[in-house]
Amino acid sequence: MPNITPAIIDWERLAQARSQLGGRFVRVLDYFREDGANCVAAIEDAIRARNAIAVISPADVLKNDALQIGALSVAELAEDIEFAARDCVEWHEAPDALLEQVLQLRSQFTDTVAQLEGETKPLLMKRAV
């Protein structure tokens, strides 16, 4: 059976967001890059503090922002982290088991942003002129 790698970006959803957002699309990508990095950092800080409650909100924000532009792998991983953190809260457990996923999140987010920037570089250059 072939090894199928899940899509990092849903290019169709990205094109749909670009069409719907028009001139605001580049700004939304900027927000995703900046706010997403802040969310990843907040999740990492919460994991270091062993605070499952503090993981939930930034994971939810990252999930929703990623879904808006088609960053599927980030959205799925953020959702997994969010739900696992909710379980930790419900069971009064530290989120120690989430460490590996959180490490993957940083890498996945960085790779996704690089792909998005590569795809949208002409738009970003046009905006800078």
Side-chain angles (χ1 to χ4, degrees), residues 52-128:
I53 292 172
V55 171
I56 295 169
S57 181
D60 180 57
V61 168
L62 182 59
K63 171 191 70 181
N64 291 328
D65 289 353
L67 283 173
Q68 180 182 13
I69 60 169
L72 295 184
S73 62
V74 170
E76 290 171 4
L77 192 50
E79 182 177 63
D80 289 347
I81 291 168
E82 175 193 358
F83 290 150
R86 289 181 188 280
D87 287 343
C88 289
V89 170
E90 183 176 336
W91 295 102
H92 306 285
E93 297 174 348
D96 299 338
L98 298 177
L99 182 59
E100 186 175 323
Q101 288 176 303
V102 172
L103 291 172
Q104 289 175 356
L105 182 63
R106 169 66 66 183
S107 173
Q108 194 64 58
F109 178 76
T110 301
D111 291 349
T112 299
V113 167
Q115 281 195 24
L116 287 169
E117 287 176 346
E119 176 67 21
T120 60
K121 192 169 188 133
L123 292 174
L124 296 174
M125 293 177 79
K126 189 183 287 186
R127 181 175 172 219

Side-chain angles (χ1 to χ4, degrees), residues 32-54:
F32 176 71
R33 183 180 58 249
E34 293 167 16
D35 294 345
N38 290 336
C39 287
V40 171
I43 292 165
E44 290 170 340
D45 289 345
I47 291 297
R48 277 191 289 278
R50 302 182 76 216
N51 184 346
I53 292 172

